[in-house]
């Protein structure tokens, strides 16, 4: 028996699951199966076997062996909500916010999403790729193996297409697994009316995106001042006609009805949820929608954190993503998101790790191949620096604890 890669003496192999386990909800989120003093074998980009060191087969030969003494091995994070294709950062707005402006004030003054759109429209596809690739590598180095990337800073047919093509090229040029989402309904461009823009989305953008098979999903910023629940439903139904399943920006700034329209239209996930109450929790309980929180955005915009604890107590599953974007969450660091969920939403490390791996994989339909240490799944894992326990990862927030990254069976980053 020969394998490409053998990891030995793993202090804790985290998130070990049987095939067929797709998501954790409610009380089950507190369970995080960890195998101590373990080995793991990888062959031809897949996880082949694992077990305790005492059961390591003597006849096993490996082309490469990594000794993981004192280190933990995690499945790579799955980041199910990002906007990491963008032209430029927006720290001038950050300073405006420090001085008292709100996200809404900045958007109303032509900043925010429209600011990002102006910058993106002036770049060629190659230039946009060149600016986005370093962000893809940044998240790889911080432990992410699969990522959802949205459009929404183009706001014209050609610029939305450009963004999605860049997202597809990131999938070709890096070892990340990428899912793409069309978010033409992110904001209304200043040179048109909302009604006219919605017509452009439905009649031109969605067919053009579908023609090139550029998007797996459709998203709408359902929010006061952006798109109403009725408009959201109309846009989402148009996307569904082209096989793009919905996922929504819901209840970020106000209790704007996003959760209800997400459930009604069969969304895979409703994301943000800073402004929900018991009514929305009850609606979610009757659905298969994955509620997703984005703690980086809540922190950065000084919003109330979503009621993650209450959602789990109500029996719901919960997913955690980064929302990596220039306006409301300029970090794609999933270890930090896990830490924020523990500190600000009172999730335990077990719950938060489930939320950032198997549940986010479920949210972007990757749980058959990613999100856990399971025989036959893609070998997407990271090896930590020496740590006393897996809870040290969220505890030591802000530390870079991801040491080696293995994606599709190959070591792609070493600190
Ligand atoms: O998820 N809420 C809408 N979209 C992004 C922010 C976009 C921006 O400000 O550039 C978000 O927070
Ligand atoms: Fe977002």
């Amino acid at each position: 028996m020969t394998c490409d890669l053998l990891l030995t003496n793993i202090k804790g192999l985290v998130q070990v699951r049987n095939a067929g386990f797709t998501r954790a909800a409610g009380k089950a989120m507190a369970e995080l199966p960890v195998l101590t003093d373990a080995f793991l074998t990888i062959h031809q980009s897949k996880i082949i076997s694992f077990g305790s060191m005492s059961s390591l087969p003597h006849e096993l030969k490996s082309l490469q062996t990594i000794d993981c003494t004192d280190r933990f091995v995690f499945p790579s994070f799955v980041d199910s909500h990002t906007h990491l294709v963008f032209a430029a950062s927006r720290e001038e707005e950050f300073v405006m916010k420090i001085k008292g402006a709100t996200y809404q004030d900045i958007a109303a003054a032509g900043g925010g999403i429209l600011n990002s759109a102006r910058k993106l429209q002036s770049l060629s596809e190659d230039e946009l790729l060149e600016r986005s690739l370093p962000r893809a590598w940044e998240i790889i180095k911080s432990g992410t193996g699969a990522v959802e990337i949205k459009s929404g800073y183009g706001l014209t047919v050609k610029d939305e297409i450009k963004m999605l093509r860049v997202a597809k090229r990131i999938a070709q040029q890096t070892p990340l697994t990428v899912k793409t989402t069309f978010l033409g309904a992110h904001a209304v461009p200043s040179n048109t009316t909302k009604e006219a823009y919605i017509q452009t989305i439905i009649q031109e953008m969605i067919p053009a995106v579908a023609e090139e098979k550029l998007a797996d999903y459709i998203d709408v910023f359902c929010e006061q001042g952006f798109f109403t629940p009725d408009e959201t439903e109309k846009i989402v139904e148009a996307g569904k006609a082209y096989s793009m399943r919905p996922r929504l920006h819901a209840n970020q700034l106000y209790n704007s009805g996003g959760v209800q329209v997400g459930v009604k239209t069969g969304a895979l996930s409703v994301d943000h949820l800073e402004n929900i109450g018991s009514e929305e929790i009850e609606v979610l309980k009757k659905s298969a929608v994955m509620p997703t929180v984005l703690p980086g955005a809540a922190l950065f915009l000084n919003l109330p954190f979503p009621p993650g604890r209450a959602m789990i107590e109500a029996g719901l599953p919960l997913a955690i993503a980064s929302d990596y974007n220039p306006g409301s969450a300029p970090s794609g660091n999933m270890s930090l998101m896990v830490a924020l969920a523990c500190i600000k939403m009172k999730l335990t490390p077990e719950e938060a790790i489930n939320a950032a791996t198997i549940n986010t994989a479920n949210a972007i339909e990757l749980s058959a191949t990613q999100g856990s240490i399971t025989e036959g799944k893609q070998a997407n894992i990271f090896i930590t620096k020496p740590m006393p326990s897996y809870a040290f990862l969220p505890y030591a927030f802000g530390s870079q604890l991801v040491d080696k990254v293995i994606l599709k069976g190959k070591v792609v980053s070493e600190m």
Side-chain angles (χ1 to χ4, degrees):
M1 197 161 58
T2 306
C3 65
D4 291 337
L5 184 56
L6 167 66
L7 309 191
T8 58
N9 302 311
I10 303 165
K11 182 166 182 173
L13 183 58
V14 178
Q15 186 65 306
V16 170
R17 301 284 186 177
N18 291 326
F21 180 80
T22 56
R23 53 150 86 181
K27 283 193 176 56
M29 287 198 68
E31 291 158 25
L32 182 70
V34 177
L35 200 62
T36 53
D37 194 23
F39 77 89
L40 175 91
T41 68
I42 292 171
H43 194 59
Q44 290 178 346
S45 82
K46 298 245 159 51
I47 295 170
I48 299 300
S49 63
F50 52 83
S52 56
M53 278 305 285
S54 58
S55 67
L56 180 66
H58 291 297
E59 66 283 7
L60 182 77
K61 291 194 178 59
S62 178
L63 299 178
Q64 187 189 355
T65 300
I66 300 175
D67 179 7
C68 300
T69 299
D70 295 333
R71 296 162 191 269
F72 286 77
V73 170
F74 283 70
S76 295
F77 293 120
V78 176
D79 190 349
S80 60
H81 180 140
T82 82
H83 311 245
L84 75 74
V85 171
F86 59 84
S89 57
R90 301 202 322 242
E91 57 274 24
E92 65 288 355
E93 294 177 4
F94 172 59
V95 176
M96 288 164 73
K97 280 192 252 195
I98 292 169
K99 293 182 176 166
T102 64
Y103 185 82
Q104 294 92 314
D105 294 338
I106 292 168
I113 296 165
L114 297 183
N115 177 0
S116 280
R118 274 191 302 276
K119 289 174 178 155
L120 186 138
Q121 288 164 357
S122 72
L123 298 185
S124 71
E125 186 183 313
D126 285 346
E127 287 168 331
L128 185 59
L129 177 67
E130 200 182 306
R131 293 195 190 189
S132 304
L133 272 175
R135 285 177 219 123
W137 277 102
E138 179 197 359
I139 66 167
I140 290 170
K141 288 178 198 297
S142 66
T144 296
V147 64
E148 182 259 16
I149 304 177
K150 298 176 195 295
S151 69
Y153 293 129
L155 309 184
T156 68
V157 180
K158 96 174 165 2
D159 295 300
E160 286 293 302
I161 296 268
K162 179 167 78 187
M163 280 190 83
L164 291 167
R165 284 190 188 146
V166 167
K168 292 279 187 190
R169 286 171 73 184
I170 289 173
Q172 289 158 4
Q173 296 189 18
T174 74
L176 283 172
T177 304
V178 176
K179 292 277 189 147
T180 51
T181 301
F182 168 64
L183 174 59
H186 199 191
V188 180
S190 50
N191 61 355
T192 183
T193 62
K194 185 149 73 165
E195 289 65 34
Y197 186 58
I198 291 173
Q199 283 313 306
T200 305
I201 291 173
I202 292 174
Q203 286 165 8
E204 297 177 44
M205 290 185 182
I206 291 173
V209 166
E211 168 78 26
E212 271 191 59
K213 296 190 169 46
L214 287 172
D216 301 297
Y217 308 117
I218 184 158
D219 192 347
V220 176
F221 188 12
C222 181
E223 189 58 81
Q224 280 180 44
F226 293 83
F227 296 88
T228 67
D230 284 348
E231 291 159 351
T232 300
E233 184 175 347
K234 201 167 146 193
I235 295 164
V236 155
E237 290 300 333
K240 280 164 71 178
Y242 286 88
S243 306
M244 297 174 205
R245 288 190 66 184
R247 47 187 345 107
L248 294 180
H249 278 76
N251 299 61
Q252 179 185 18
L253 306 174
Y254 303 98
N255 193 336
S256 311
V259 166
Q260 283 81 355
V261 70
V263 170
K264 183 175 178 196
T265 57
L268 282 160
S269 71
V270 286
D271 301 17
H272 273 296
L273 312 180
E274 285 85 347
N275 289 286
I276 63 168
S278 48
E279 205 178 308
E280 283 69 34
I281 291 181
E282 286 309 310
V283 169
L284 284 166
K285 275 167 69 177
K286 296 189 193 84
S287 82
V289 182
M290 179 61 74
T292 303
V293 296
L294 312 168
L299 177 80
F300 193 77
L301 296 186
N302 264 313
L303 298 173
F305 275 75
R309 185 77 257 142
M311 285 189 264
I312 293 174
E313 303 295 339
L316 288 172
L318 193 72
I320 299 172
S322 76
D323 199 16
Y324 193 3
N325 78 72
S328 68
S331 168
N333 189 311
M334 287 293 282
S335 296
L336 179 60
M337 302 309 142
V338 166
L340 288 173
C342 295
I343 298 162
K344 302 297 285 187
M345 293 166 38
K346 303 278 180 247
L347 267 65
T348 63
E350 292 79 8
E351 290 168 335
I353 292 165
N354 275 316
T357 55
I358 194 67
N359 281 3
T360 38
N362 184 250
I364 53 172
E365 301 179 292
L366 286 176
S367 54
T369 52
Q370 306 210 26
S372 65
I373 303 292
T374 301
E375 284 174 12
K377 279 198 179 181
Q378 188 160 301
N380 278 12
I381 61 170
F382 64 82
I383 305 169
T384 69
K385 291 187 180 149
M387 306 196 301
S389 70
Y390 63 77
F392 191 78
L393 189 90
Y395 159 83
F397 78 95
S399 293
Q400 169 62 6
L401 294 165
V402 175
D403 190 17
K404 281 190 181 52
V405 174
I406 296 170
L407 293 180
K408 298 178 178 163
K410 298 217 162 47
V411 179
V412 297
S413 163
E414 297 183 68
M415 280 301 143

